Amino acid sequence: MASPTPAETGDASAGRGVNEPAGSGRFGGIGLVAEPVFLMARAASLGSADANRALAGLGLKVRSYSALAVVCSGRNPTQRELSEFLVMLPSRVVAILDELERRGLVQRTADPRDRRSNVIVPTEAGRELYARAKAAVDAATEESLGDLTPQERQELARLLTKAAF
């Protein structure tokens, strides 16, 4: 039976090789550790595991937190816009919004630009939970990126933004 991944267990340090050089250990030296797509996916998995653990007590996961963050941005996104921005299947976004709405964190209201669609707006409870969740994610980010200097974090954010948008 295969061991669960760090993302499945929420243990972001598992398999991270803490205090080991990058790519060392049993799989050190294989070409995969130099491939940017693998490195981005691995870093995302580790960071998501840290964030999911931090968000668990708030009843959120990275995806629901991301949707709530966009909704709380003041941009009044439609479901379609959320789906496109978060790069999620529309059905997944609907399920996340249904759960956030059931919890009283967001509301669907008629889009003043197009009455055939809805915009998603936060409730006061949604804004309050987002503020707490943002603090939890910030702490998880500190844990995930703890080995990077402030300048390296800025450069990483710049490069990821360039790659993502």
Side-chain angles (χ1 to χ4, degrees):
M1 182 174 187
S3 298
T5 66
E8 292 168 338
T9 65
D11 183 2
S13 63
R16 193 176 274 190
V18 178
N19 298 322
E20 294 178 16
S24 66
R26 180 160 144 61
F27 298 104
I30 65 172
L32 188 61
V33 300
E35 293 181 23
V37 171
F38 169 75
L39 293 171
M40 288 187 298
R42 181 172 166 83
S45 291
L46 293 168
S48 290
D50 285 342
N52 281 334
R53 192 177 63 250
L55 292 166
L58 300 173
L60 296 171
K61 290 190 175 188
V62 169
R63 288 183 174 196
S64 54
Y65 165 78
S66 297
L68 187 60
V70 175
V71 170
C72 288
S73 71
R75 304 292 170 94
N76 297 336
T78 64
Q79 289 178 183
R80 180 182 311 254
E81 289 171 329
L82 269 176
S83 174
E84 291 169 359
F85 183 75
L86 297 176
V87 192
M88 276 190 231
L89 292 173
S91 60
R92 184 69 186 124
V93 170
V94 168
I96 288 170
L97 291 175
D98 286 348
E99 175 63 17
L100 293 175
E101 190 171 42
R102 185 190 64 73
R103 292 178 60 189
L105 302 172
V106 302
Q107 294 177 330
R108 292 172 168 105
T109 62
D111 185 346
R113 301 165 293 180
D114 181 357
R115 294 178 107 11
R116 295 170 293 173
S117 66
N118 290 320
V119 294
I120 315 304
V121 295
T123 63
E124 186 58 35
R127 283 190 281 280
E128 290 171 9
L129 182 63
Y130 169 67
R132 292 175 35 217
K134 173 78 168 99
V137 167
D138 288 348
T141 299
E142 286 299 314
E143 182 177 330
S144 294
L145 302 180
D147 290 340
L148 301 181
T149 67
Q151 295 79 16
E152 289 171 330
R153 290 179 194 200
Q154 286 180 333
E155 181 66 1
L156 177 63
R158 186 187 72 74
L159 291 171
L160 289 172
T161 299
K162 189 173 182 178
F165 297 101

